[in-house]
Amino acid sequence: MTNVPNNFKLGSSASVSRVITDETVREFANLSGDTQPLHLDDRYASDTRFGKRIAHGALLVGMVSAVLGVEMAGQDATIIFLGLSVNFINPVYIGDEVKVNCEVVSVREDKPIVKLAVRCTNQSGTEAMNGEAVVYIDPYPIT
């Protein structure tokens, strides 16, 4: 059986929560270069199917990285993404509090490769995103 840190054993999970603020969305737009008006312009967004501004989907994906690389890996491992597949179910609006949760659903027997279910919900429990992450768990420091 592959030896992985306890936080990556079958059934282990972790999450992060944050309120998606105007500042958060604007900083992400600046960093990513995605300045689509749907994310930044209230008037523009009011005429879209969403009725108001929404957060970037990639911002939620970044929160997945925070769960895996910080909450689960801590100082004991380096997480190397091998794959990430997500479905965006509902929008995340400015002011929503979102929670991203990752749960280990399988660990390979031959290598420290872990598959995790990924889920993002808002403050009402409405699902905004779901999917699957596959990561390689590299011990730190290398042993």
Side-chain angles (χ1 to χ4, degrees), residues 18-92:
R18 84 178 295 167
V19 174
I20 304 301
T21 65
D22 175 67
E23 180 182 15
T24 302
V25 170
R26 291 187 186 282
E27 286 178 358
F28 186 83
N30 184 52
L31 288 170
S32 69
D34 182 354
T35 58
Q36 184 178 178
L38 175 61
H39 305 301
L40 304 174
D41 184 326
D42 289 317
R43 191 179 67 68
Y44 177 92
S46 70
D47 290 332
T48 68
R49 70 178 63 244
F50 302 107
K52 56 186 174 178
R53 291 171 47 211
I54 64 171
H56 302 74
L59 180 58
L60 304 178
V61 170
M63 290 177 67
V64 170
S65 185
V67 172
L68 297 174
V70 177
E71 299 301 319
M72 294 184 85
Q75 299 292 318
D76 298 329
T78 299
I79 304 309
I80 301 167
F81 267 102
L82 299 178
L84 179 65
S85 172
V86 296
N87 305 297
F88 296 103
I89 312 299
N90 288 294
V92 169

